[in-house]
């Protein structure tokens, strides 16, 4: 039975961010913080007249935004439909949408949404004009960084904040119309993408019904999952058909996290040791050990005494440096367990920012002898998944032996946009990296862009030298987010979640016996 309403947590996870924290003040193409930031709660519904309130029965809301004077149609609490390809019609809504599909483009400062107007004000207060006549505000750190075009020394104009909104993309990008017109050729390279971001952000606050946020349950094991790309995956997993590019972008923004992990660990993974498959010989060894656990043979277990079988321990996936991915609705993470129906998972979010967007769960549990690090444990998500959150650095937990022993058949590390080689965060990983390699279990890492991912890979090779085995060559992630994200501190910096993925592991040495002469 699928609910006939849009999950509020899905909307909150995708909506435009509020003011970034001080740790987000980082330069071009290098931010680590995911764009899934918390948004303000929707405004309360105004009081209805007595006659109108009597005519409307209690119901669940079907959208994320309610505005004054809007009267939605009556809708049933649930829409009975089979799991998977649902045929239940989308509920019709009258007067509810704040913005129609053909009216999603609005300049940020004149947006009908107060959240986006606040975001426009934040951009104008913090982002610098990229015109080459201004002085540099920081050192350029990436190829194509607009700061590399700016004047150095006493020549040129002082830095200025952006104030002019491009009429084509609606986002503040230059300090004046003159600088925008003078540098229009350079702006054209990203103008279309910025307009797409503008419309996607308004779509989340449009008040429409979001069928792309309804997720299928478990399916029969004989129905194989095709992991060639997003289209084949969603079809073979029996998601509701998504026929619009914008809806696909919104859906993949959340699903990219569990599906990225599953696409590497699954036995039908698109990554292999064939030419162009990007998997190395060492990677095949490590993933084969995990797949042996993730795809166990049938044991003949049953409900009677003769069918009793010992259950293996859960597969532990350590998500280090966790930020907003830890606040993703749990229905999204459960999709990972549906790919491996015979095993259970224990997701462990670790990092000082692992409680991002989870203010309702504060205060944290007290640190007791039974729970020395104040972990938040969610063990009733499903019978196949348990989630624990540690607001602590991994090296502290490792030194305490909290997760020992590690088993390459049951453990895996996942690093979403870790920023290993970023100047502002690399010092936080210097102590952690040798400990990760010491465990000898697979380590998967993603990056916002190709350059961001290559910088992380080079930093690892420089720090540990020959003490690392590459399991998976760096390259584009087949299940990256299709939605582009905007850095409010630099509108020229656009990226997408989990653009690329690669893997490594601590080097394993094989001993050989030599007969003495």
């Amino acid at each position: 039975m699928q609910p006939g309403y849009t999950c509020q947590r899905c909307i909150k996870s995708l909506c435009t961010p509020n003011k970034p924290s001080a740790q987000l003040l980082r330069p071009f193409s290098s931010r680590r913080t995911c764009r899934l930031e918390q948004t303000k709660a929707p405004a309360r519904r105004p009081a209805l007249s007595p006659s109108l309130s009597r005519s409307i029965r209690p119901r669940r809301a079907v959208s994320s935004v309610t505005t004054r004077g809007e009267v939605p149609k009556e809708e049933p609490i649930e829409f009975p439909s089979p799991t998977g390809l649902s045929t239940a019609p989308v509920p019709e809504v009258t007067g509810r949408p704040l913005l129609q599909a053909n009216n999603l483009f609005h300049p940020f400062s004149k947006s009908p949404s107060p959240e986006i107007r606040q975001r426009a004000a934040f951009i104008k207060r913090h982002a610098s004009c990229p015109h080459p006549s201004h002085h540099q505000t920081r050192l350029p750190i990436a190829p194509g960084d607009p700061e590399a075009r700016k004047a150095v020394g006493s020549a040129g104009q002082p830095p200025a904040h952006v104030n002019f909104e491009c009429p084509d993309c609606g986002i503040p990008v230059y300090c004046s119309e003159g600088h925008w017109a003078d540098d229009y050729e350079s702006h054209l390279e990203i103008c279309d993408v910025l307009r797409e971001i503008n419309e996607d952000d308004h779509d989340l606050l449009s008040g429409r019904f979001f069928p792309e946020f309804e997720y299928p349950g478990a399916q029969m094991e004989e129905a194989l999952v095709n992991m060639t790309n997003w289209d084949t995956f969603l079809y073979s997993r029996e998601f509701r058909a998504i026929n619009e590019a914008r809806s696909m972008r919104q859906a993949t923004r959340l699903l990219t996290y569990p599906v990225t992990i599953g696409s590497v660990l699954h036995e039908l993974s698109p990554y292999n040791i064939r030419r162009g498959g990007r998997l190395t010989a060492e990677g095949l060894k490590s993933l084969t050990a995990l797949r042996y656990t993730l795809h166990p043979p049938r044991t003949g277990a049953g409900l009677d005494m003769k069918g009793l079988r010992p259950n293996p321990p859960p597969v532990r996936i350590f998500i280090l440096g966790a930020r907003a991915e830890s606040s993703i609705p749990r229905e999204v993470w459960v999709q990972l367990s549906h790919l491996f129906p015979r095993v259970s998972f224990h997701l462990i979010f670790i990092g000082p920012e692992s409680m991002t967007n989870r203010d309702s769960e504060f205060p944290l549990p007290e640190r007791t002898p039974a729970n020395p690090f104040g972990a938040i444990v969610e063990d009733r998500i499903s019978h196949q998944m348990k989630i624990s959150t540690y607001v602590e650095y991994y090296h502290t937990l490792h030194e305490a032996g909290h997760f020992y022993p590690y088993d390459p058949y049951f453990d895996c590390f996942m690093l979403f946009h870790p920023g290993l080689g970023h100047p502002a965060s690399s010092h936080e990983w210097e102590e952690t990296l040798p400990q990760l390699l010491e465990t000898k279990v697979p380590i998967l890492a993603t990056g916002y862009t190709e350059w961001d991912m290559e910088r992380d890979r080079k930093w690892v090779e420089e720090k540990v030298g020959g003490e690392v085995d590459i399991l998976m060559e760096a390259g584009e992630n087949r299940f990256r987010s299709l939605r582009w994200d905007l850095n409010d501190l630099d509108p020229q910096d656009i990226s997408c979640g989990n653009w690329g993925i690669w893997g490594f592991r601590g080097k394993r040495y094989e001993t050989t016996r030599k007969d003495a002469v």
Side-chain angles (χ1 to χ4, degrees):
M1 192 77 70
Q2 293 184 354
Y5 64 97
T6 299
C7 176
Q8 296 289 336
R9 296 186 64 188
C10 291
I11 300 300
K12 289 185 178 181
S13 298
L14 277 170
C15 277
T16 50
N18 282 334
K19 184 184 299 184
S21 60
Q23 193 166 359
L24 288 180
L25 302 176
R26 292 173 183 158
F28 179 83
S29 291
S30 57
R31 53 200 162 88
R32 299 172 52 230
T33 302
C34 181
R35 307 307 301 169
L36 306 179
E37 298 286 347
Q38 187 179 13
T39 60
K40 291 187 176 179
R44 288 187 176 180
R45 182 188 301 275
L48 302 177
S49 62
S51 60
L52 183 59
S53 61
R54 287 193 299 269
S55 64
I56 299 180
R57 294 187 307 221
R59 62 195 178 282
R60 292 184 180 179
V62 297
S63 65
S64 59
V65 177
T66 56
T67 55
R68 187 174 298 275
E70 295 174 347
V71 182
K73 272 190 176 182
E74 288 190 15
E75 296 146 3
I77 293 180
E78 292 181 345
F79 294 89
S81 58
T83 302
L85 290 176
S86 175
T87 58
V90 176
E92 296 181 3
V93 181
T94 58
R96 173 66 66 89
L98 176 65
L99 299 173
Q100 299 294 335
N102 60 353
N103 188 32
L104 293 178
F105 174 75
H106 295 272
F108 266 29
S109 61
K110 300 178 181 178
S111 170
S113 170
E115 290 87 352
I116 295 183
R117 293 198 299 270
Q118 293 176 5
R119 188 179 177 189
F122 179 85
I123 295 175
K124 292 181 178 181
R125 287 196 304 268
H126 295 86
S128 299
C129 178
H131 194 273
S133 64
H134 292 288
H135 291 162
Q136 288 186 354
T137 57
R138 54 177 172 78
L139 294 176
I141 60 173
D145 190 342
E147 290 294 319
R149 304 184 303 149
K150 293 185 177 180
V152 180
S154 58
Q157 303 177 10
H161 291 301
V162 297
N163 191 49
F164 176 76
E165 292 179 340
C166 171
D168 297 325
C169 64
I171 295 177
V173 286
Y174 287 88
C175 63
S176 64
E177 183 177 1
H179 278 186
W180 167 78
D182 184 57
D183 202 33
Y184 185 66
E185 183 177 354
S186 176
H187 176 66
L188 276 180
E189 298 177 0
I190 61 172
C191 187
D192 290 341
V193 179
L194 292 178
R195 184 184 179 96
E196 182 180 288
I197 295 173
N198 184 322
E199 295 179 354
D200 288 348
D201 289 341
H202 280 95
D203 177 56
L204 286 175
L205 300 172
S206 65
R208 71 174 177 89
F209 180 75
F210 290 85
E212 59 266 35
F213 292 153
E214 291 188 353
Y215 304 105
Q219 65 187 40
M220 60 180 181
E221 294 187 40
E222 290 75 11
L224 300 181
V225 179
N226 189 329
M227 291 191 171
T228 303
N229 51 45
W230 274 118
D231 291 328
T232 59
F233 171 79
L234 296 177
Y235 177 79
S236 58
R237 268 292 288 129
E238 298 184 345
F239 277 76
R240 181 193 289 267
I242 300 178
N243 301 317
E244 297 182 1
R246 178 170 294 110
S247 297
M248 178 68 83
R249 293 195 295 269
Q250 307 289 24
T252 59
R253 186 64 185 90
L254 293 178
L255 287 172
T256 181
Y257 291 95
V259 179
T260 293
I261 299 175
S263 66
V264 178
L265 303 184
H266 202 275
E267 63 180 356
L268 300 179
S269 169
Y271 310 108
N272 49 61
I273 59 173
R274 301 187 188 97
R275 179 177 297 179
R278 295 171 49 191
L279 202 64
T280 65
E282 292 297 325
L284 181 61
K285 295 177 184 178
S286 290
L287 293 183
T288 299
L290 277 171
R291 290 169 183 171
Y292 180 82
T293 303
L294 293 171
H295 301 279
R298 293 184 180 274
T299 60
L303 299 178
D304 54 359
M305 293 296 295
K306 294 182 179 180
L308 292 179
R309 299 291 186 275
N311 291 326
V315 175
R316 299 188 300 179
I317 298 180
F318 300 90
I319 301 177
L320 306 190
R323 295 178 295 278
E325 57 265 26
S326 67
S327 64
I328 291 178
R330 298 320 186 211
E331 295 82 359
V332 180
W333 281 113
V334 168
Q335 295 301 309
L336 176 62
S337 65
H338 291 332
L339 295 176
F340 308 93
R342 298 186 193 173
V343 299
S344 58
F345 285 92
H346 185 189
L347 302 184
I348 305 174
F349 297 107
I350 302 175
E353 300 176 68
S354 58
M355 290 299 293
T356 301
N357 300 341
R358 297 170 64 178
D359 296 341
S360 60
E361 300 181 41
F362 282 95
L364 299 177
E366 295 184 3
R367 301 197 175 197
T368 62
N371 188 10
F373 294 98
I376 299 176
V377 180
E378 304 170 64
D379 55 358
R380 297 187 179 181
I381 298 174
S382 76
H383 68 284
Q384 289 182 271
M385 180 165 288
K386 172 184 175 181
I387 295 180
S388 300
T389 305
Y390 291 83
V391 187
E392 188 61 84
Y393 285 102
Y394 171 76
H395 56 78
T396 303
L397 301 170
H398 182 90
E399 292 171 356
H402 191 63
F403 299 115
Y404 268 92
Y406 295 93
D407 191 333
Y409 283 81
F410 290 91
D411 296 333
C412 176
F413 288 96
M414 186 70 217
L415 282 62
F416 290 112
H417 319 110
L420 298 175
H422 189 278
S425 58
S426 59
H427 66 281
E428 298 178 352
W429 292 100
E430 287 186 0
E431 186 177 355
T432 301
L433 181 61
Q435 297 172 345
L436 292 178
L437 300 180
E438 178 186 332
T439 63
K440 308 299 183 183
V441 301
I443 305 168
L444 305 176
T446 65
Y448 281 114
T449 62
E450 181 179 9
W451 190 88
D452 178 42
M453 182 175 54
E454 284 295 324
R455 179 185 58 190
D456 291 348
R457 184 186 62 82
K458 292 178 180 178
W459 182 84
V460 170
E461 293 180 349
E462 291 175 359
K463 290 296 180 181
V464 298
E467 296 299 319
V468 62
D469 285 330
I470 299 298
L471 306 183
M472 182 177 177
E473 298 175 357
E476 185 174 357
N477 178 16
R478 294 200 183 197
F479 294 95
R480 69 176 179 88
S481 170
L482 300 181
R483 175 182 165 177
W484 293 93
D485 297 320
L486 176 69
N487 184 359
D488 290 352
L489 298 173
D490 186 356
Q492 310 297 317
D493 181 11
I494 53 178
S495 61
C496 62
N498 300 325
W499 182 91
I501 187 171
W502 65 294
F504 61 101
R505 182 200 64 200
K507 194 170 187 64
R508 306 179 73 173
Y509 294 93
E510 297 182 2
T511 59
T512 58
R513 178 175 297 180
K514 184 176 180 180
D515 296 334
V517 180

